[in-house]
Amino acid sequence: MAGDADKLSLLHDHYKETFALIRERETQRDRLFLWLLVIFALLVIEIQYPANFNGVLGHVNVAGNNIDLQQLPLARLLNVSWVFTAAFVLKYCQVAKAVERQYSYLHLLEDRISDGLGDADIYRREGRAYREQYPHLLNWAWVYYTILFPAALAIAVVYLLVVECVSLQGSVLSKAFDVVFGVSILASLALYRIRPRPGSHPGGTRASLLPKIPAKDAGTDAAPGKSP
């Protein structure tokens, strides 16, 4: 019917836009991840090797003013570093979580379009087809990015805070400032791993998000154990 064809065309266009948005956010996530590694490495050097870090600092020109970074107190540099690290961790977690959430919606679009086409196996590139014979390497990558890396970062944050508070000179207020932002990093990582209860979002169940397009063949429903 013409109405079903129009709905199918609309869903197809929306699918392409959604997929393009996901790819854009994945690129942003990957860049944030690399920058986060760089910023965190600088933070480690500042705390573990403060003398060496000050030795590599030079001069910068800001609005015509020449600033000697070696003259800046280490405590102020640490304050700035913790703020930047916390900001990058929060942004990375936000973008990574946005990508995960959009993929659930993309799978739902694939379900609707496949139903409209009357074929349970077609239009499943990012859902069922992607998960068929899923490589062990991709499972390992998922474990690394979602469990090992956040856990390693959390352990390192705790360790660096302890080293800074015990070994480095600085005022109590400055160290308390760094502890606040260090704890905020831990909070961001913990909230990143917390998942909402199924069906707790305001929109209700997933199936109610999109209009149902009648399948041409009633026997095309996916097998329970193979649905994405």
Side-chain angles (χ1 to χ4, degrees), residues 17-28:
E17 294 173 358
T18 303
F19 189 76
L21 177 62
I22 290 176
R23 284 293 184 241
E24 179 181 343
R25 287 180 174 174
E26 283 181 337
T27 301
Q28 182 184 11

Side-chain angles (χ1 to χ4, degrees), residues 105-170:
Y105 184 66
L106 192 72
H107 296 165
L108 182 59
L109 286 172
E110 290 185 348
D111 292 342
R112 292 293 183 264
I113 295 173
S114 294
D115 289 345
L117 294 173
D119 191 329
D121 296 320
I122 201 170
Y123 224 100
R124 303 282 189 174
R125 179 180 62 188
E126 301 300 324
R128 182 191 305 171
Y130 182 77
R131 296 181 180 181
E132 287 286 344
Q133 298 180 352
Y134 201 72
H136 294 301
L137 177 62
L138 296 184
N139 282 323
W140 167 245
W142 180 88
V143 171
Y144 178 85
Y145 282 111
T146 62
I147 299 177
L148 294 182
F149 174 72
L153 185 59
I155 294 173
V157 166
V158 174
Y159 172 77
L160 291 176
L161 287 175
V162 171
V163 171
E164 179 181 350
C165 293
V166 174
S167 302
L168 299 184
Q169 297 180 350

Side-chain angles (χ1 to χ4, degrees), residues 178-212:
D178 293 344
V179 168
V180 168
F181 281 92
V183 171
S184 73
I185 293 175
L186 300 178
S188 297
L189 294 173
L191 292 173
Y192 169 65
R193 294 309 311 146
I194 294 176
R195 297 182 180 274
R197 292 182 295 104
S200 62
H201 53 283
T205 60
R206 281 203 326 164
S208 64
L209 297 178
L210 294 173
K212 182 71 174 179

Side-chain angles (χ1 to χ4, degrees), residues 6-17:
D6 292 339
K7 290 180 181 179
L8 188 61
S9 177
L10 178 63
L11 288 178
H12 173 67
D13 291 338
H14 187 51
Y15 177 88
K16 292 190 295 183
E17 294 173 358

